[in-house]
Amino acid sequence: MSAPATEAALAEAIADAYAAKEPVLVQGAGTKHGMLRPVQAARSLSTRNLSGITLYAPKELVISARAGTPITEIKAALAEHGQHLTAEPPDLSDLLGVPGNQTLGGIVATNLSGPRRIVAGAMRDQILGIRAVDGTGEIFHSGGRVLKNVTGLDLCKLLSGSHGTLGIMTEITLKILPAPEQTGTLVIPGLDATAAVATLSAALGSPYGVSGAAWLPPDAAARIPELAGFNASVALMRIEEFAASVTYRTARLAQDLQPHGRAELLGDTISRSVWRSVRDVTPLTVEPGEAVWRVSVRPSAGPGILAATGLRGFLDWGGGLVWLVGDPASHPAVTAAATAAKGIWTLMHAPDSLRASADVIPPEPPVLAAIGRRVKAVMDPAGILNPGRMAAGA
Amino acid sequence: MLALPEPKADILARRDEIVAGLRAILPASGVITEPLRLKPYETDGLPAYRQIPLAVALPETTEQVAAVLKLCHSIGVRVIPRGAGTSLSGGATPLADAVVLGLMRMNRILEIDYADRCATVQAGVTNIGITQAVAGNGFFYAPDPSSQLACMIGGNVGMNSGGAHCLKYGVTANNLLGLTAVTIEGDILHLGGNHLDAAGYDWLGLITGSEGMLVVVTEVMVRILRGPEGARAMLAAFRSNEIAGQCVDAIIGSGIIPVALEFMDRPAIHACEAFAHAGYPLDAEAMLIIEVEGSVAEQDDLLDRIKRLCEPFEPLSMRVSQSPEESLAIWKGRKGAFGAVGRISPDYMCMDGTIPTSRLPEVLRRIGEMSDQYGLKVANIFHAGDGNLHPLVMFDANDPDSFHRAEAFGADILKLCVEVGGCLTGEHGVGLEKRDLMRFQFSEPELERQRRLKDAFDPAWLLNPAKVFPLQDKPRQAA
Ligand SMILES: Cc1cc2nc3c(=O)[nH]c(=O)nc-3n(C[C@H](O)[C@H](O)[C@H](O)COP(=O)(O)OP(=O)(O)OC[C@H]3O[C@@H](n4cnc5c(N)ncnc54)[C@H](O)[C@@H]3O)c2cc1C
């Protein structure tokens, strides 16, 4: 595996592969190796040596770092100034079974966001600028280092979530925000999924700025030590604010939610730990041979996805994000349920036999697929970047 | 003065056939061809540029949009998508051989779902129209351009528009869930939906802000948010731009993100006060409008903290609004700023660049020097939290020399924004106005990459072709 230490060297490596028409497996720390489809490539390249924060202006709410910078390094730098990554990106290394220190480039290329997605936007929404290398070895940039920018076509959005198939990001500039002073969580135990989503919806429709809304069935709740004592399902609602506001808002919200059940308040430390678990999907364990799906639907459709598939799972994003784990043979049932609910699905992880043979994301309708092929041809004319990662033959 | 491409003689010659084709698709009132009735479509929010189009088509359904595009595509007619025509960068400026495709008749709200906090509306619904439709339930649509009474959600998608409150709530792109859009070939695309995020490529993100060059948007699915318990504004007046800029840094650095943080310089304060009578401090060199949200107690607490943060900068005055009416008056001055400047100058050009906030004092100083050099007055309004600067350059359109100086002054300001690490446009788009300045922000290969992405959607360059990219020696645009 080559791991160039400069953008120029990376560009050269890609230009070389392009000349040889040889596919390249592109990765950061490799923690998302198990996501989507396996990539067959003669060469492999890691951004891990392109590391380090290149600009941090706390008062301008921006940070830039090379793509291979570990997320932990960025978080630590931000924490020193009381700031944080707004989209709350998860660490799925336990879930995906590949330990490691995930990189900024990896989290942007997979556009993974945590519970705060519902109020703060996705990872892609935080991307202000990128530098990248395309599939011919050409370096380009898009966006910049200012919070607002509508100059030309937004390639930052195009590359976010493109799983390294359109270009290799070498440097990324993010919008960041102050970290909240305190976190509080209301728990209402014992609700079924439908009643819970109605509750979460009421909370998210309140004026109190709920920044996390999840529901865990009893078995998933039992796997979070701080919640095991409830011996029941839990609906979780988070408020992140200045301390006095957390006190005030949780009290008001608990009162407003009385028709839905009696809410208990979790304090700051416990709250942070619980939401870290939700973020990293630790309430679910994956047995060898099992598959993991992530379904995004309108929130009210979440419970139906759990019921229709009968898999182990839980709900985040007020019901709109459904995590599922179970028998790979359920793949058609998951995709059918998500499609029927007009939502989308991602096969996050599965045995290679399924990953290599099935669609791992919804296939695009022909017109869009044709546009997609033309866009791919602009960015990676020889099709050498992570071939097959998102779809067979693409 | 920017050039528009030569009209294609063969298209002009086929005008009757094109109009007949449009009439076969649309109701009689939906096709405009008489010169007098074409006049309102000859320009947009950049009135220095005017061009009567070949015809105007006003479809009422996505299917009609598809049929119109299919027709135009088959003949090779250029199409200019248009919402309310409030673009300040000339994004909706017509071409002589083009059909203007106006979405204003697609003005229905199709679905509102409070439980799932989303709404589906047609592209011609006004920005305020969405908020008005959901306000009764305490909800709102977050991006709030000052033009929100007129501008349409399709145009907002076209420009990825922002507003005074996007420091907290984000711009258009951050508040969209899905689109129905039509390609130049007349194929209907459904992108996203009432769920978050895409599993494949983020087409929604690429199309947002693409200025009508990739597809025509007919329906938009947006997130709607529950409003806060309340909001209140305060004013703080300072002795210099520099000091006000330092105060902005202190507020953001403290961990408080006000829902809005607006900066006005002396000329802007005076123009707006004469218009709004909001009690703006006329003795100040710079003023901040700072708005916070929450319960009354929370507002009090935040405003107290902010006042304490301001004090070391020795403000000339600080005034916390005592009533909703007072907050409204404070905002009336700011939101009416363009009109206010319009009252003190025959014409003005609203520029829109972004800069790293730390460079504000320097940038304002240099804009002041340019103002002297060009002999034109300028008032500066700044979304201070996010670095988005709106210098309003005052000139007299009846005096060609004054107009040319204004254009050159504006271009110099935007080049300065790029020079200090910012960009050419924060929310108004490149359009026609900034087309030729793109070379200051992007290398030729980078521009070519973006052009080729347009090729992927619109190989014949029929959709809004003369915008965003410099025209010179580009056969795609000239052909
Ligand atoms: C007084 C005033 C204040 C303003 N304040 C702000 C502000 O605070 N923030 C801000 O961001 N902007 C502001 N603007 C600029 C302008 O209002 C926005 O750019 C707005 O989004 C344009 O909407 P519109 O409906 O008028 O679109 P138009 O001007 O008609 O079109 C804008 C662009 O979008 C394209 N387009 C329009 N509809 C569609 C569609 N359905 N499908 C595909 N493409 C389409 C057009 O081709 C054009 O390129 C202001 C303008 C004025 C005049």
Side-chain angles (χ1 to χ4, degrees), chain A residues 195-215:
Chain A
V197 168
T199 307
L200 301 180
S201 174
L204 290 165
S206 79
Y208 307 118
V210 170
S211 73
W215 178 76

Side-chain angles (χ1 to χ4, degrees), chain A residues 228-252:
Chain A
F230 286 101
N231 274 318
S233 75
V234 289
L236 305 169
M237 291 147 283
R238 174 173 68 178
I239 291 192
E240 299 172 293
E241 270 295 341
F242 287 110
S245 285
V246 171
T247 307
Y248 164 75
R249 293 183 181 205
T250 48
R252 288 297 295 266

Side-chain angles (χ1 to χ4, degrees), chain B residues 80-88 91-92 103 123 144-147 151-152 154-156 158-159 161-163 211-212 215-217 338 427-428 464:
Chain B
I80 313 294
R82 182 181 176 103
T86 65
S87 168
L88 291 168
L103 278 296
D144 60 338
S146 306
S147 53
C151 69
M152 296 169 183
N156 292 175
M159 290 308 191
S161 304
E211 308 202 13
V215 291
V216 176
V217 174
F338 298 176
E427 56 182 15
H428 294 171
N464 217 11

Side-chain angles (χ1 to χ4, degrees), chain A residues 39-135:
Chain A
V39 171
Q40 304 287 341
R43 304 180 183 207
S44 56
L45 181 147
S46 165
T47 58
R48 67 170 183 265
N49 286 336
L50 279 180
S51 185
I53 293 165
T54 51
L55 167 108
Y56 179 23
K59 289 172 184 166
E60 294 174 12
L61 306 174
V62 293
I63 189 165
S64 306
R66 297 199 184 89
T69 311
I71 288 283
T72 47
E73 187 179 327
I74 293 172
K75 282 187 176 171
L78 295 177
E80 272 180 40
H81 290 267
Q83 298 186 326
H84 71 165
L85 286 174
T86 325
E88 204 177 4
D91 179 350
L92 300 182
S93 36
D94 280 348
L95 183 77
L96 300 176
V98 186
N101 201 348
Q102 63 178 340
T103 64
L104 176 61
I107 210 75
V108 175
T110 51
N111 188 26
L112 287 170
S113 322
R116 207 180 290 116
R117 163 65 181 106
I118 47 175
V119 287
M123 200 59 210
R124 64 88 142 156
D125 290 298
Q126 326 301 328
I127 312 303
L128 303 174
I130 54 166
R131 292 181 57 85
V133 173
D134 78 359

Side-chain angles (χ1 to χ4, degrees), chain A residues 5-349:
Chain A
T6 65
E7 181 184 72
L10 189 148
E12 208 170 306
I14 295 299
D16 193 65
Y18 175 60
K21 300 277 174 289
E22 282 190 356
V24 187
L25 168 73
V26 184
Q27 62 176 46
T31 59
K32 290 166 194 68
H33 216 60
M35 259 186 90
L36 306 188
R37 303 185 70 256
V39 171
Q40 304 287 341
R43 304 180 183 207
S44 56
L45 181 147
S46 165
T47 58
R48 67 170 183 265
N49 286 336
L50 279 180
S51 185
I53 293 165
T54 51
L55 167 108
Y56 179 23
K59 289 172 184 166
E60 294 174 12
L61 306 174
V62 293
I63 189 165
S64 306
R66 297 199 184 89
T69 311
I71 288 283
T72 47
E73 187 179 327
I74 293 172
K75 282 187 176 171
L78 295 177
E80 272 180 40
H81 290 267
Q83 298 186 326
H84 71 165
L85 286 174
T86 325
E88 204 177 4
D91 179 350
L92 300 182
S93 36
D94 280 348
L95 183 77
L96 300 176
V98 186
N101 201 348
Q102 63 178 340
T103 64
L104 176 61
I107 210 75
V108 175
T110 51
N111 188 26
L112 287 170
S113 322
R116 207 180 290 116
R117 163 65 181 106
I118 47 175
V119 287
M123 200 59 210
R124 64 88 142 156
D125 290 298
Q126 326 301 328
I127 312 303
L128 303 174
I130 54 166
R131 292 181 57 85
V133 173
D134 78 359
T136 70
E138 189 172 298
I139 298 167
F140 63 95
H141 90 286
S142 179
R145 54 145 301 188
V146 282
L147 298 192
K148 268 160 90 188
N149 185 348
V150 293
T151 319
L153 295 177
D154 189 351
L155 302 194
C156 301
K157 298 252 168 29
L158 185 62
L159 261 69
S160 303
S162 71
H163 294 269
T165 63
L166 296 177
I168 305 172
M169 287 175 275
T170 56
E171 187 174 353
I172 296 166
T173 302
L174 298 169
K175 173 184 176 178
I176 46 172
L177 283 177
E181 188 173 277
Q182 222 181 68
T183 302
T185 304
L186 291 182
V187 186
I188 300 185
L191 301 176
D192 66 25
T194 306
V197 168
T199 307
L200 301 180
S201 174
L204 290 165
S206 79
Y208 307 118
V210 170
S211 73
W215 178 76
L216 311 180
D219 55 330
R223 291 191 35 83
I224 300 185
E226 298 89 342
L227 299 175
F230 286 101
N231 274 318
S233 75
V234 289
L236 305 169
M237 291 147 283
R238 174 173 68 178
I239 291 192
E240 299 172 293
E241 270 295 341
F242 287 110
S245 285
V246 171
T247 307
Y248 164 75
R249 293 183 181 205
T250 48
R252 288 297 295 266
L253 185 59
Q255 209 170 19
D256 288 3
L257 292 179
Q258 261 172 11
H260 297 266
R262 221 182 68 80
E264 213 166 295
L265 177 65
L266 305 182
D268 187 59
T269 313
I270 293 185
S271 282
R272 288 175 197 263
S273 164
V274 163
W275 285 100
R276 210 175 303 123
S277 300
V278 171
R279 181 194 78 185
D280 296 347
V281 200
T282 56
L284 298 178
T285 43
V286 187
E287 302 300 331
E290 285 192 317
V292 182
W293 296 266
R294 191 174 180 265
V295 172
S296 180
V297 285
R298 62 196 298 163
S300 56
I305 303 287
L306 286 176
T309 58
L311 295 164
R312 306 200 302 285
F314 74 89
L315 305 173
D316 194 359
W317 298 356
L321 178 65
V322 191
W323 283 102
L324 297 165
V325 171
D327 186 351
S330 302
H331 190 53
V334 173
T335 65
T339 309
K342 296 201 163 78
I344 52 162
W345 43 272
T346 306
L347 180 62
M348 291 294 287
H349 181 61

